[in-house]
Amino acid sequence: MFAFKPNFTMNGKITFTMIKPSAFSQGYTGQILTMIENAGFLIKAMKKVRLSQEQAGSFYEIHRGKPFYEELVVFMSSGPIVAAVLEKENAVESFRMLIGATDPAKAEPGTIRKLFGKNMGENAVHGSDSDENAILESGFFFPAIDLL
Ligand code: CMP
């Protein structure tokens, strides 16, 4: 599934995000994308897609076995998402600041998760936690050619 060939010139400059089913179905996609662009990110690739449970399970493989894994997989396959690759200097860290803490209740005011998240599961968006995962996660959804 992770067939993407990393291009290390992108290292540090890209991150990967998903607008989760709850945020998408509540009509927050436009507002979230506007916040992302206004924060200086360039959308390098983007698509709306509905994940199967198998695909969601594979994407979140790293969390398999954790207490929230099953619920996460069911939720992430419950409706369409928007997946996107974002470019900016220091992209991973910068995007994590923009979205706020995983738990919306603990996220800073004005962050995407504070504004559009409901709880730890329905936290509006995913953001990569490292440069390495940004490349792997981008490759899960997009062939390298889509990022040129
Ligand atoms: P995300 O950034 O997509 O990465 C994994 C997701 O698991 C996380 O956001 C949360 O939505 C979800 N999750 C649910 N419970 C927890 C938890 N206790 N700790 C971390 N992540 C959790």
Side-chain angles (χ1 to χ4, degrees):
M1 196 61 87
F2 288 90
F4 184 62
K5 281 210 186 86
N7 167 1
F8 289 103
T9 60
M10 295 189 309
N11 220 354
K13 292 188 185 150
I14 68 156
T15 191
F16 172 79
T17 188
M18 292 183 287
I19 297 174
K20 298 191 177 188
S22 49
F24 182 87
S25 66
Q26 289 172 97
Y28 295 146
T29 300
Q31 292 175 76
I32 290 172
L33 291 174
T34 296
M35 283 183 70
I36 289 171
E37 289 192 326
N38 285 347
F41 290 90
L42 191 65
I43 298 170
K44 297 286 286 181
M46 181 166 68
K47 68 181 166 192
K48 170 183 170 249
V49 59
R50 173 130 186 209
L51 297 174
S52 65
Q53 284 203 17
E54 190 186 22
Q55 288 169 321
S58 176
F59 181 87
Y60 281 115
E61 187 68 39
I62 197 168
H63 294 301
R64 191 184 292 272
K66 293 183 183 165
F68 58 86
Y69 178 74
E70 294 297 333
E71 191 182 325
L72 177 62
V73 167
V74 169
F75 168 59
M76 289 302 293
S77 56
S78 67
I81 61 157
V82 170
V85 180
L86 308 173
E87 183 180 69
K88 189 185 176 184
E89 289 299 329
N90 194 23
V92 168
E93 184 58 27
S94 178
F95 192 67
R96 287 169 74 81
M97 298 290 288
L98 178 65
I99 65 180
T102 306
D103 182 353
K106 296 183 182 146
E108 291 289 319
T111 59
I112 290 175
R113 282 171 168 161
K114 183 58 128 192
L115 289 167
F116 303 112
K118 200 157 73 181
N119 53 47
M120 189 83 110
E122 298 186 18
N123 62 352
V125 290
H126 167 79
S128 304
D129 63 2
S130 67
D131 291 342
E132 186 188 7
N133 281 338
I135 289 170
L136 290 172
E137 291 171 1
S138 298
F140 189 93
F141 285 90
F142 302 100
I145 192 84
D146 286 350
L147 304 177
L148 295 176

